[in-house]
Amino acid sequence: MRRLRLRRDASLTLLLGASLGLLLYAQRDGVAPTTSAPRAPGRAAPKPTPRFRTFQLPDAGAALPAYEGDTPAPPTPTGPFDFARYLRAKDQRHFPLLINQPHKCRGDGAPGGHPDLLIAVKSVAADFERRQAVRQTWGAEGRVHGALVRRVFLLGVPRSLGSDRADGGEVGGAQTHWSALLQAESRAYADILLWAFDDTFFNLTLKEIHFLAWASAFCPDVRFVFKGDADVFVNIGNLLEFLASRDPAQDLLAGDVIVQARPIRMRASKYYIPEAVYGLPAYPAYAGGGGFVLSGATLHRLAGACAQVELFPIDDVFLGMCLQRLQLTPEPHPAFRTFGISQPSAAPHLSTFDPCFYRELVVVHGLSAADIWLMWRLLHGPHGPACAHPQPVAAGPFQWDS
C-alpha cells in the first residue's frame, strides 16, 4: 500500500508540474512583445492604432523594472548625480550661445520659403561620426517630397573643457582644440548650435529650453519640428506623410508616449530622483526623448511654458511637465519606437534590423552611425527594399556607390 501511495503522489506531482508549466508558457506568450511581420506584396498595411506605453505601478517595496530597464543609455557618460550641486544651480537657465545659425530658417529663396520641417538633433562635440551619418541620410537638407527641410545639431561645451577653465583666465589647449573643430564644422555645414553649459546627461533639460527659445526667435514661421537623438533612424518620408494632413497652427506633439512612469528612488540608478526633488508618485505623460514631432504652434507655446516651469534633471519628463502646464496631452503614435524594435514573438527567426520593419516606421532609437547609413541605403537603394519584391533580388558584389 505504501508503494502504491508513493506512486500515486509522484504521478500527481508530475501532473501538477506539467499543468503549471503550461500555464506559465501561456502567460508568457500572452505578454510577449509583438511586431508586425512584413506584409505580402500588394497587400495594404493596416492603419496604425495610436497607443500609450504604460508602465505599471509596482507594489510598495517592489522593484521598479520598466522605466529603468527600457530607457536607452544616455548620450554622454554620467556618474553619481550630485543633487546638492544641482539644487544650488537649478535656477541658472540662461547661457550664452557660442555658435549660432541665425539664417537657418530664411528659406531657399522661393516665395514662402520658410521650412516645412526643422530637424533638431541632440549631439555632443566628439560625436562627429553620428552627425555625418545624419547629414548624409535622413537629416539631409533641401526639398524632400516637396517639403523644405532644415537641420541643426544641439551641443553644449564638453565637460572636461568647462572644468579646465581657470577662474577668469585663459582656457587650456583642449578648449582651443575643440572650439576650432566645432567652428570649422559650423563653417562647413552651417548646422551647429553651441551653448556655454556643460554637455552632460542631466543638462539635456538646458538643451531643451535653449533650443525652444532659439527656434521661437530664429524660426518663428517653421511649420513642424522634429527633435531627437543622434542615434535614431528616421524614415523621413513616413514622417512627412504623417504631417501632410496636420495643421501647423494647431497644437501637436506626437511620439512614443509614456504614461504612469514612476520616479526612480534607488540611489544607484542614474535616473534616481529623491522625493525632495519630485514628491508625486508618477510623472505626467511625456513623449520619449529619442524622437518626437511638434507643430509650430506648440513650439511657441512650449517655449513660453518651459520658461515658467522649474527645471527638472530628466529632459523628456521635464517636457511632459511643460505640456501639463499647457493642459496638452501628447499624441501617441505606434511608428515612433524610442525603445527600439522588439523581437517578433510570432516570427523569432526574423532579424529586427530588416528594411521590411523600418519602411513602416517613423523613428527607431538605438542605432550606430554605420547602422543608420546602412539602413538608409537598404531603403533607398536603386531597387528599393528587398521585401518589396516577390522574389529575392539577385545577389551580387556589394558596391558602396550603387
Side-chain angles (χ1 to χ4, degrees):
M1 289 293 294
R2 184 171 181 273
R3 182 176 299 176
L4 289 175
R5 187 163 53 254
L6 289 175
R7 184 178 299 172
R8 182 186 61 193
D9 292 345
S11 301
L12 183 61
T13 300
L14 289 174
L15 179 61
L16 289 174
S19 300
L20 179 60
L22 289 173
L23 178 61
L24 291 175
Y25 182 80
Q27 288 181 341
R28 187 199 70 174
D29 284 352
V31 300
T34 59
T35 302
S36 300
R39 68 173 184 255
R43 184 180 301 173
K47 186 176 182 180
T49 302
R51 57 163 176 75
F52 292 94
R53 184 187 298 275
T54 305
F55 289 104
Q56 299 295 330
L57 299 179
D59 297 332
L64 301 169
Y67 180 75
E68 168 72 4
D70 289 344
T71 302
T76 54
T78 179
F81 187 42
D82 186 350
F83 269 101
R85 180 182 178 185
Y86 168 77
L87 291 174
R88 288 193 300 269
K90 70 180 179 62
D91 294 324
Q92 186 179 2
R93 58 167 70 214
H94 301 291
F95 291 84
L97 183 58
L98 303 178
I99 299 179
N100 192 11
Q101 307 298 334
H103 307 298
K104 175 57 65 173
C105 292
R106 291 193 178 177
D108 58 358
H114 300 292
D116 297 296
L117 178 65
L118 174 65
I119 294 172
V121 181
K122 294 175 286 185
S123 185
V124 295
D127 213 352
F128 175 78
E129 182 183 14
R130 287 193 188 276
R131 290 194 291 277
Q132 280 296 85
V134 172
R135 289 176 180 125
Q136 295 173 5
T137 57
W138 62 267
E141 293 191 311
R143 291 283 171 179
V144 181
H145 299 289
L148 181 59
V149 178
R150 290 288 182 256
R151 173 195 67 241
V152 289
F153 292 98
L154 316 177
L155 290 82
V157 176
R159 189 169 190 173
S160 60
L161 306 188
S163 61
D164 286 344
R165 295 189 182 95
D167 291 341
E170 295 295 325
V171 296
Q175 169 70 24
T176 305
H177 171 71
W178 279 107
S179 177
L181 288 177
L182 289 175
Q183 291 286 353
E185 186 176 349
S186 177
R187 288 192 297 270
Y189 299 103
D191 59 4
I192 298 294
L193 295 176
L194 174 67
W195 286 276
F197 53 78
D198 287 347
D199 207 341
T200 63
F201 173 66
F202 284 99
N203 274 351
L204 287 175
T205 299
L206 292 177
K207 198 171 285 188
E208 190 77 59
I209 64 173
H210 282 78
F211 166 70
L212 289 172
W214 178 89
S216 292
F218 292 99
C219 297
D221 298 314
V222 66
R223 291 169 55 82
F224 297 98
V225 176
F226 173 82
K227 186 170 179 290
D229 291 343
D231 61 343
V232 300
F233 177 87
V234 181
N235 192 321
I236 204 72
N238 289 350
L239 176 60
L240 291 172
E241 182 180 355
F242 166 67
L243 296 175
S245 61
R246 310 306 292 256
D247 183 358
Q250 300 297 319
D251 278 318
L252 169 70
L253 193 147
D256 189 357
V257 176
I258 302 163
V259 297
Q260 295 299 314
R262 288 186 62 146
I264 302 300
R265 305 300 190 193
M266 298 178 291
R267 289 184 177 273
S269 170
K270 62 177 173 283
Y271 298 101
Y272 165 65
I273 298 293
E275 290 191 38
V277 175
Y278 188 84
L280 298 178
Y283 291 132
Y286 64 93
F292 57 87
V293 65
L294 63 156
S295 66
T298 301
L299 166 72
H300 295 293
R301 296 190 66 200
L302 266 183
C306 289
Q308 301 170 11
V309 174
E310 185 173 355
L311 295 182
F312 190 76
I314 303 178
D315 62 320
D316 46 9
V317 175
F318 170 76
L319 202 64
M321 296 174 178
C322 299
L323 290 173
Q324 187 179 52
R325 184 179 184 88
L326 294 174
Q327 297 183 340
L328 293 180
T329 302
E331 178 179 324
H333 195 296
F336 287 71
R337 302 295 181 90
T338 58
F339 295 89
I341 303 177
S342 302
Q343 187 72 30
S345 60
H349 62 284
L350 292 179
S351 169
T352 56
F353 189 77
D354 189 307
C356 302
F357 292 120
Y358 283 69
R359 70 171 182 171
E360 308 295 343
L361 301 176
V362 174
V363 175
V364 181
H365 196 191
L367 277 72
S368 68
D371 286 342
I372 292 172
W373 191 92
L374 179 58
M375 182 52 66
W376 183 261
R377 297 291 293 181
L378 290 173
L379 284 173
H380 296 86
H383 304 292
C387 58
H389 301 277
Q391 299 295 330
V393 178
F398 180 76
Q399 296 180 357
W400 289 100
D401 58 350
S402 60

